[in-house]
Amino acid sequence: MALSTSSVITLNINGEKYTLPVDHRTTLLDALREHLDLTGTKKGCDQGQCGACTVLLDGRRTVSCLQLAVAAEGREITTIEGVAEGDQLHPVQQAFLDLDGYQCGYCTPGQICSALAVLEEHEAGWPSAVTADVSPEAGPPPLSPDEIRERMSGNLCRCGAYVSIVQAVARAAEVRTSGAEEAVA
């Protein structure tokens, strides 16, 4: 008896459901780009080292080149195409635009998806490798340039726009904090 090497799966991407047949070896990246024509997510190294293919899977960042599409079934997938609210850019996108954090733009979708997760992780109090006090009662560390660089270290930029990327993440964090303070007031 031969086992099937393909399945029909349903992926929930940016709030929409997509049903498609895939070979079990198809990565999420290839499903997005080749099967669904969602080409915002970029293929860089295809080895999980550059971060160009970063998407959010249930709100957590993942390199989609190492994630099998069949394993993503039933999970919430957010790609760069799902970050903006209609014509309104997300504050992270706006900060990248305002501070020239995109250079050639190839790594930008992965950088932005990673930055979204960085802000969530930081707000949740997750420490990084450079966090000085990791005790739970310390709360989130200040989102310093060193913290941002460490947290974004899985995303490479061949243009070297790192200074602008760090500034963009810091600005988005400021906008997020000021928005939260306005909501409380």
Side-chain angles (χ1 to χ4, degrees):
M1 179 172 130
L3 293 176
S4 175
T5 60
S6 63
S7 296
V8 175
I9 62 172
T10 301
L11 297 176
N12 187 2
I13 305 166
N14 303 323
E16 293 186 39
K17 294 197 182 302
Y18 297 87
T19 300
L20 64 153
V22 294
D23 181 288
H24 292 160
R25 299 166 293 182
T26 302
T27 63
L28 179 56
L29 173 61
D30 287 338
L32 293 169
R33 292 184 57 79
E34 307 300 327
H35 296 270
L36 299 174
D37 207 27
L38 293 169
T39 57
T41 305
K42 303 301 186 218
K43 183 178 278 204
C45 68
D46 218 14
Q47 298 177 23
Q49 296 179 11
C50 73
C53 68
T54 302
V55 298
L56 301 176
L57 196 59
D58 293 333
R60 306 257 328 254
R61 55 186 153 168
T62 189
V63 285
S64 60
C65 71
L66 297 182
Q67 175 73 41
L68 293 175
V70 294
E73 187 170 26
R75 300 175 74 187
E76 294 287 328
I77 302 162
T78 305
T79 67
I80 192 65
E81 290 92 347
V83 172
E85 293 284 334
D87 291 338
Q88 180 66 39
L89 293 178
H90 186 281
V92 172
Q93 291 173 303
Q94 189 63 55
F96 268 72
L97 183 64
D98 292 346
L99 296 167
D100 196 27
Y102 52 86
Q103 296 282 316
C104 82
Y106 196 82
C107 71
T108 306
Q111 297 276 0
I112 288 172
C113 285
S114 192
L116 292 169
V118 162
L119 296 176
E120 290 291 328
E121 292 162 8
H122 177 261
E123 190 173 290
W126 294 11
S128 78
V130 298
T131 302
D133 185 353
V134 296
S135 63
E137 55 275 356
L143 199 53
S144 67
D146 283 343
E147 279 285 341
I148 294 170
R149 279 192 287 277
E150 173 61 28
R151 292 168 186 266
M152 292 290 294
S153 65
N155 291 79
L156 303 178
C157 173
R158 294 191 76 148
C159 298
Y162 295 115
V163 170
S164 298
I165 290 167
V166 169
Q167 292 171 348
V169 174
R171 168 142 340 142
E174 290 170 12
V175 168
R176 186 180 180 115
T177 302
S178 67
E181 289 170 0
E182 289 173 13
V184 172

